[in-house]
Amino acid sequence: MSTNTTTRPDAGGATSTAGGAWINDGKKPPASRLRTTGRRRSVPYLLLGVLLVLACVGGFVLISLNSGDRQAVLALARGVPVGHVLTTQDLRQVNVAVDPGVAVVGADQAATVVGRPMATSLSAGALLTPDAVGGAALPASGQAIAALALKPGQFPAEVGPGARVSVVFVPGHAGTATSPPADGGTVWPAVVTSVTTPANDQNTVVSVQLSEAAARQVAAVPAGQLSIVMLSAGGR
């Protein structure tokens, strides 16, 4: 017994059997299949777009939270020695995140510090604190300040107020003292308080703060037998 199978041509070139199954003639699939494939391909792009939007929103929130704790405070635009009278040119405004326990001078309080002397020496970029302005706080208890007359080459050009240094004994030439101080000191840790170059003088006077004992040793060394080595901020 034979069964007749009827095929119907489709406008797109495919044929359909009586049972409803589509037979593709190799030209192109039905339109319904094209629509399904297009939807499947668009899903990854939609997910990627959603992820990008979420990332942007998260970044914006993070930046907002971080910047919300910042304050406009005063910092030094250049290094200043102890006793220096502050001017507007010495100060600049910076926006920083400050711990509640740290004392700073707000940018809106500039008028309260301009015209007042520095109580300590600070380097450029240091935040200005209330204790740094007013009566001289140097030397501290147990400390002393010694003045060194140094020639070019005996100290780095980068040395400025607030710099941590080592004062080093250098043996002299023939006919001069060549032995270190009697108590054996040859290297003394110190902090620079000021650097000045008197007019018509080849020497530069570098004032340093060190312990009282070290200051006495340094003062006893003949001129020309001391040099300065600049250390890192946490150096010894």
Side-chain angles (χ1 to χ4, degrees), residues 71 97-104:
Q71 302 179 35
V98 181
D99 188 273
V102 178
V104 291

Side-chain angles (χ1 to χ4, degrees), residues 159-176:
V159 165
R164 295 178 61 87
V165 299
S166 285
V167 180
V168 182
F169 171 79
V170 181
H173 300 291
T176 62

Side-chain angles (χ1 to χ4, degrees), residues 14 20 33 52 67 69 82 90-91 108 115 117 130 132 138 150 152 157-158 177 184 192 194 196 198 229:
R33 290 194 175 186
L52 288 174
S67 61
D69 295 334
V82 59
D90 297 324
L91 305 173
D108 58 347
L138 295 179
L150 305 176
E158 294 81 5
V192 176
S194 68
T196 58
V229 176

Side-chain angles (χ1 to χ4, degrees), residues 15-41:
T15 58
S16 174
T17 64
W22 284 96
I23 302 177
N24 198 327
D25 62 358
K27 293 185 179 180
K28 73 177 181 179
S32 60
R33 290 194 175 186
L34 288 174
R35 288 193 295 269
T36 303
T37 303
R39 285 194 297 269
R40 289 177 179 175
R41 290 180 178 177

Side-chain angles (χ1 to χ4, degrees), residues 148-152 154-155 196-206 223:
L148 313 178
L150 305 176
K151 296 182 181 296
Q154 292 183 312
F155 65 97
T196 58
T197 303
N200 303 321
D201 194 339
Q202 293 183 347
N203 291 332
T204 297
V205 178
V206 180

